[in-house]
Amino acid sequence: QSVLTQPPSASGTPGQRVTISCSGSSSNIGTNYAYWYQQLPGTAPHSLIYSNNQRPSGVPDRFSGSKSGTSASLAISGLRSEDEADYYCAAWDDSLNGWVFGGGTRLTVL
Amino acid sequence: QVQLQQSGPRLVKPSQTLSLTCVISGDSVSSDRAAWNWIRQSPSRGLEWLGRIKYRSKWYNDYAVSVKSRITINPDTSKNQFSLQLNSVTPEDTAVYYCAKGYCSGGSCYHFDYWGQGTLVTVSS
């Protein structure tokens, strides 16, 4: 059981906009930044969104992040086949004094 | 460009110690703008942060509650690397283990901006 809660799956057709939610609590997302990682099949995760809504260099602006209260969201616009991957949210948890992750959302591009 | 290269045994017997090493290139284990982390991933537990080490005039460790009694993360400044030791392993510790660099600035640490390639470690007799 992950500390952060994500839907296990999401899907969309090419060109669509999809959003993935991440629900936490006051000790993690409620007081700290939310982060998003993308994991392509057979590879290590890599940073997609940091500090709620910032993109590392090289990440297309089709990816955007937001946070409200104890929840965060990842939006992907102009969906492409190469976006098919697992997406994980993360945050620092002040009560656990450590990083916590969501269970991951598998995105399928139909 | 930072690169993290992991090494270590892929098969460990139950009750023994799991040991992995992560060699850093393009940065320093003693950097005050980084934290050096171990994270594992398994189908049953998902992504799980295990702990980190960072240097801020002296060495600091943070460990996950779930493994705190069994884990040690150490730096090796002469080889610019850091290591993971997990004692008394069980089959539940079977996972892909990753080392990862945490970007830090102004006294706080943020995302994991570089990851190792991952090592599948199986705990089995």
Side-chain angles (χ1 to χ4, degrees), chain B residues 14-32:
Chain B
S15 80
Q16 294 192 341
T17 298
L18 182 159
S19 298
L20 294 173
T21 299
C22 184
V23 178
I24 303 163
S25 57
D27 205 330
S28 169
V29 71
S30 304
S31 170
D32 61 0

Side-chain angles (χ1 to χ4, degrees), chain B residues 79-112:
Chain B
K79 296 180 180 178
N80 201 32
Q81 64 188 34
F82 63 109
S83 63
L84 166 70
Q85 286 194 306
L86 189 64
N87 302 324
S88 305
V89 297
T90 72
E92 286 268 302
D93 294 308
T94 294
V96 176
Y97 286 75
Y98 294 101
C99 59
K101 172 185 170 289
Y103 169 76
C104 304
S105 177
S108 296
C109 290
Y110 303 98
H111 59 145
F112 306 114

Side-chain angles (χ1 to χ4, degrees), chain B residues 37-68:
Chain B
N37 300 263
W38 287 99
I39 296 163
R40 68 183 178 183
Q41 184 175 29
S42 65
S44 59
R45 301 170 76 99
L47 281 170
E48 181 183 14
W49 176 81
L50 299 177
R52 68 180 180 183
I53 190 165
K54 58 184 180 181
Y55 185 75
R56 304 290 185 266
S57 302
K58 67 175 186 175
W59 292 101
Y60 293 89
N61 283 104
D62 293 299
Y63 296 132
V65 171
S66 60
V67 295
K68 196 164 189 172

Side-chain angles (χ1 to χ4, degrees), chain A residues 8 24-25 34 47 50 94 97-98 107:
Chain A
S25 67
S47 182
Y50 67 95
D94 289 338
N97 196 42
L107 176 63

